[in-house]
């Protein structure tokens, strides 16, 4: 604990030291001439620095700067999914003072001396974001002694003017509130069990943020995997800056003005989340650790006996033989295939944890295939002096794979045959910051060298992308091993682009009300950072918890994409029935509701896949012009239509709920409210305040105890007419299991309602669902006079 405090103090000190020193960094020199290609503008500076702006789309421009030397020809990023962009229309004009690049949407005005970049709206010429000072670098190495890794490289930074009423969102997984204004953050993937609000950094690095001022949004993705810093005016009212302990000044500027549009572009650039199998939306149960196999079956039997829905059970580290990944303990799990077959008959999928540490067998004569093969193929990480890097994790002394090597990734992926052949349905990647018990902060790893696309770089650059590449190896392995199934991977650590390979959860939370209150800002911030499939250990991971907390926790998570109850080994049991029938009955109600809402949730998840707009949203995403939503992080929306205002405090049974403009229906009573105001709502323990947007149609399916339990032969379309008496929706369906949706094998059905008349529009896609009947129910009691199909 004491060590933890000292560490926190050191981190805070790093951040504030840099905050002062950024102003004293060397500034890039003035522009002396400009060269142009079909996509790029290169600014040659007096100090031999170069800045390159690449016009990728009318609303997307990349800025690269190289200080006192030319831009390197080498250009590689693990985060970027799309390299080739069709050249948009743009032009360049110059005066003696200014260089102007104009696309259909953006106007970039560059002052030559000093070199200052300003992004404006091409139509209104309004400034969206402007340099506060020229891009800077630590020419003298003066900051190195303050850096986490003094040998990492040269500190680089960009500083932007801080808007008086500018709000900041995103930055991935941070233990902080929704609006990041006047705060600062560090990115350095870290294993931080029991983190509380303000703890920083934690597990992930997503150096992408959104700025929002008077309803107009832009985005910045600083694609630099070194330890990085983001300061949104924490210590100065003048500037919001970002910088890193090495690597390039390399950022992408996105223009909205809508956040949804930016998220779409960000997904185009760093990858769209593929659809996971539909059962990933089912309820999941975990425990560190369920063993032997009879206990797994006992848990499943309890779920079934108690009529509680369940699709997935996770096996934590004790399923292995002495924590050796890719093995099963022969006594605890003598026949995993027979187990998955038996569970499969009960509609249950098994997911196994796979950590990066491969145990180094203490006995030299022991044969352990993962270690022996990896060593023979030279796939493990080494220190600069050539020694094998031997961190200590759950299995004791271990080795890590160098996932930057394509052959090593392939080998790692193929090792999963040991799971897929045994019917394991998904993989849980944990401890991949990577955590090392020798030194959690990572100092013990600083001289570890990775192949890194031939660049042979050290930990300073590779730590934050380690989990991305591990998840990638896992995902690609599952894809190869089971090409007719969608892979399901879940990870703890990440870097930008992770959504291409993995879903995520928010790590080792506490079973406390404070931890629960972080769920909403963390899930929504992850959604605003390109990671739509998120969730948290329901009930919290560490500590005792209680029935009330567990119920309130389900009332948040039953609508999160990832809904998994998980608990530490030495915590009080936390399965839904553990605190007695009263609580269990309420939990059942919400789990059942989740399953009936699956047609709605799956439709919204597909929207996330296609558009990059998350399922679990802060209100500001749907109501970007409404300032009352800018700071609102105790309410959320699912898609465009469902608004939820959970209780996240003990002994509270009433709360204020903000309803944005429009009309809203109380989900439970169908009572209609006028929005644009705050209302006070009763919320006894069995009730979470929920409202449906007037104008929505919510598709609901049958009550299920697992996905596929029975045919979805009826879909009820609950119609909530707006003030003009209209409502609409688009229902998405596919087989829920195979990748064929990528080839158009899906069905999208548009349904409209207008004053008593329902029209089911022409369908899109080639998927033919099993016979199912649409029922229409108008929540105002309006009679349906005609159905046009
Ligand atoms: C880490 C994980 C946790 C898991 C434990 C044991 O703490 O975050 O979920 O239960 O390791 O594997």
């Amino acid at each position: 604990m004491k060590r933890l405090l000292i560490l926190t103090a050191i981190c805070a000190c790093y951040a504030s030291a840099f905050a002062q020193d950024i102003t004293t960094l060397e500034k890039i020199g003035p522009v002396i001439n400009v060269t142009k290609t079909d996509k790029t503008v290169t600014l040659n500076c007096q100090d031999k620095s170069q800045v390159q702006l690449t016009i990728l789309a009318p609303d997307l421009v990349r800025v690269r700067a190289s200080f006192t030397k030319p831009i390197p020809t080498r250009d590689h990023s693990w985060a970027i999914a799309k390299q080739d962009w069709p050249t948009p229309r743009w032009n360049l004009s110059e005066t003696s003072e200014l260089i102007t690049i104009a696309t259909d949407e953006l106007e970039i005005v560059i002052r030559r001396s000093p070199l200052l970049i300003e992004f404006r709206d091409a139509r209104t010429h309004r400034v969206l974001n402007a340099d506060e000072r020229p891009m800077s670098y630590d020419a003298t190495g003066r900051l190195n002694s303050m850096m986490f890794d003094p040998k990492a490289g040269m500190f680089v930074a960009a500083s932007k003017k801080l808007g008086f009423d500018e709000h900041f969102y995103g930055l991935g997984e941070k233990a902080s509130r929704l609006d990041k204004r006047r705060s600062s953050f560090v990115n350095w993937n870290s294993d931080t069990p029991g983190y509380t609000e303000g703890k920083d950094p934690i597990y992930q690095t997503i150096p992408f943020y959104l700025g929002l001022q008077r309803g107009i949004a832009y985005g910045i993705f600083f694609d630099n995997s070194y330890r990085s810093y983001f300061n949104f005016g924490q210590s100065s009212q003048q500037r919001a800056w970002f910088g890193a302990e090495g690597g390039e000044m390399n950022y992408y500027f996105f223009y909205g003005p809508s956040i949804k549009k930016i998220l779409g572009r960000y997904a185009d650039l760093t990858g769209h989340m593929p659809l996971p199998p539909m059962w990933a939306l089912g309820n999941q149960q975990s425990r560190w650790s369920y063993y032997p196999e009879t206990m797994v079956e006992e848990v499943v039997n309890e779920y079934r006996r108690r009529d509680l829905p369940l699709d997935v059970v996770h096996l934590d580290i004790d399923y292995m033989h002495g924590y050796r990944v890719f093995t099963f303990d022969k006594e605890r799990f003598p026949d995993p295939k027979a187990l998955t077959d038996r569970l499969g008959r009960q509609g249950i999928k098994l997911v196994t944890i796979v950590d990066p540490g491969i145990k180094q067998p203490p006995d030299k004569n022991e044969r352990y295939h993962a270690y022996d093969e990896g060593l023979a193929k030279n796939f493990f990480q080494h220190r600069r002096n050539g020694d094998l890097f031997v961190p200590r994790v759950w299995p004791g002394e271990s080795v890590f794979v160098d996932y930057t090597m394509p052959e090593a990734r392939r080998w790692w992926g193929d090792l999963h045959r040991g799971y897929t052949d045994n019917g394991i349905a998904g993989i849980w990647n944990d401890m991949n910051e990577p955590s090392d018990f020798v030194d959690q902060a990572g100092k013990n790893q600083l001289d570890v060298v990775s192949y890194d696309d031939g660049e042979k770089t050290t930990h300073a650059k590779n730590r934050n992308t380690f989990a991305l590449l591990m998840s990638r190896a896992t995902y690609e392995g599952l894809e190869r091993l089971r090409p007719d199934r969608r892979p399901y991977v879940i990870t703890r650590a990440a870097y930008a682009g992770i959504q291409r390979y993995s879903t995520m959860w928010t790590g080792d939370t506490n079973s406390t009300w404070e931890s629960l209150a972080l769920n909403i800002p963390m899930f929504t911030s992850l959604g605003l950072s390109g990671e739509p499939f998120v969730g948290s250990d329901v009930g919290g991971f560490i500590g005792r918890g209680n029935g009330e907390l567990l119920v309130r926790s389900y009332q948040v998570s039953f609508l999160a994409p990832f809904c998994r109850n998980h608990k530490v080994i030495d915590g009080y049991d936390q399965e839904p029935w553990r605190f007695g029938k009263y609580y269990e009955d309420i939990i059942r109600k919400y789990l059942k509701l989740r399953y009936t809402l699956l047609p709605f949730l799956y439709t919204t998840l597909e929207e996330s896949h296609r558009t990059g707009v998350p399922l679990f949203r802060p209100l500001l995403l749907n109501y970007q012009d409404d300032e009352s939503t800018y700071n609102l992080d105790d309410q959320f929306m699912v898609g465009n239509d469902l608004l939820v205002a959970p209780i996240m405090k003990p002994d509270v049974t009433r709360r204020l709920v903000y309803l944005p403009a429009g009309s809203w229906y109380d989900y439970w009573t169908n009572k209609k409210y006028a929005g644009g105001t705050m209302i006070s709502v009763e919320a006894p323990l069995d009730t979470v305040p929920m409202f449906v947007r007037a104008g929505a149609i919510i598709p609901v399916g049958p009550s299920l105890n697992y996905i596929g339990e029975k045919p979805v032969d009826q879909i009820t379309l609950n119609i909530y007419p707006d003030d003009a008496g209209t409502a609409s929706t688009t229902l998405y369906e596919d087989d829920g299991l195979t990748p064929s949706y990528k080839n158009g094998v899906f069905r999208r059905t548009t349904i409209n309602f207008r004053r008593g008349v329902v029209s089911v529009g022409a369908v899109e896609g080639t998927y033919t669902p099993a016979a199912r009947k649409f029922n229409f129910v108008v929540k105002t009691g309006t009679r349906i006079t005609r159905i046009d199909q």
Side-chain angles (χ1 to χ4, degrees), residues 288 316-317 353 394 428 430-431 492 505 508 541 566:
W288 175 10
D316 207 324
I317 46 177
I353 198 167
W394 300 125
W428 169 19
D430 186 26
M431 305 290 283
R492 191 170 73 178
W505 96 109
D508 297 349
F541 181 66
H566 177 50

Side-chain angles (χ1 to χ4, degrees), residues 336-544:
K337 180 72 176 76
L339 174 67
T340 56
D341 283 347
R342 285 197 303 278
L343 293 175
R345 287 194 286 277
Q346 289 181 276
I348 299 293
K349 313 278 187 295
L350 217 49
V351 168
T352 46
I353 198 167
V354 178
D355 290 347
I358 297 180
K359 186 177 178 73
Q360 192 174 45
D363 174 357
K364 295 259 175 310
N365 296 318
E366 180 192 327
R367 297 281 56 90
Y368 168 28
H369 72 295
Y371 182 80
D372 295 344
E373 281 175 33
L375 195 67
K377 291 174 193 283
N378 203 18
F379 286 161
F380 298 146
Q381 289 188 335
H382 288 80
R383 293 190 185 276
R384 202 196 304 273
N385 67 6
D387 288 355
L388 196 61
F389 171 53
V390 185
R392 213 162 352 100
V393 264
W394 300 125
E397 312 230 300
S398 304
V399 291
F400 289 157
V401 171
D402 179 357
Y403 296 108
T404 67
M405 297 166 74
E407 319 80 62
R409 285 203 298 279
R410 195 175 174 92
W411 169 73
W412 180 263
D414 289 347
L415 282 173
H416 289 75
R417 184 182 296 282
Y419 294 119
T420 51
D421 281 356
N422 277 308
I424 298 299
I427 299 295
W428 169 19
N429 282 164
D430 186 26
M431 305 290 283
N432 48 1
E433 292 69 33
S435 180
D436 172 7
F437 299 159
V438 177
D439 176 31
Q440 289 286 25
K443 289 262 187 219
N444 182 41
Q445 310 190 39
L446 292 183
D447 65 341
V448 171
V449 179
S450 292
Y451 170 73
D452 189 19
D453 201 42
E455 233 190 311
K456 303 219 169 61
T457 52
T458 63
H459 194 66
K461 180 172 178 218
N462 297 308
R463 180 181 183 85
N464 287 339
T465 53
F466 182 86
L468 171 72
L469 295 177
M470 181 191 183
S471 301
R472 173 173 170 177
T474 308
Y475 181 92
E476 291 175 350
L478 294 179
E479 232 181 2
R480 283 194 303 276
L481 290 163
R482 268 192 312 227
D484 59 340
R485 288 288 176 267
R486 302 176 193 171
Y488 179 55
V489 182
I490 170 159
T491 183
R492 191 170 73 178
Y495 184 72
I498 188 68
Q499 68 279 1
R500 305 204 291 272
Y501 312 114
S502 185
T503 64
M504 63 85 55
W505 96 109
T506 62
D508 297 349
T509 56
N510 297 314
S511 294
T512 61
W513 293 97
E514 293 72 24
S515 219
L516 176 59
L518 278 175
N519 276 185
I520 296 179
M522 288 183 75
F523 299 175
T524 52
S525 295
L526 281 154
L528 292 176
S529 313
E531 282 190 81
F533 206 102
V534 297
S536 209
D537 292 344
V538 184
F541 181 66
I542 297 169
R544 190 180 162 92

Side-chain angles (χ1 to χ4, degrees), residues 15 58 85 176 207 283 296 298 357 364 400 423 479 546 568 621 702 724:
W85 295 75
S176 80
N283 182 39
V296 176
E298 214 172 319
K364 295 259 175 310
F400 289 157
E479 232 181 2
N546 60 61
V568 70
L621 193 50

Side-chain angles (χ1 to χ4, degrees), residues 720-769:
Y720 297 85
D722 61 15
D723 298 344
T726 68
S728 63
T729 195
T730 305
L731 174 71
Y732 175 85
E733 297 162 286
D734 64 21
D735 65 23
L737 213 56
T738 75
S740 64
Y741 70 98
K742 293 182 181 167
N743 303 319
V745 188
F746 59 79
R747 176 172 293 194
R748 193 171 283 126
T749 311
T750 304
I751 298 152
N752 286 301
F753 174 80
R754 192 176 175 78
R755 297 205 191 95
V757 179
V758 173
S759 33
V760 181
V763 297
E764 194 192 327
T766 59
Y767 176 65
T768 313

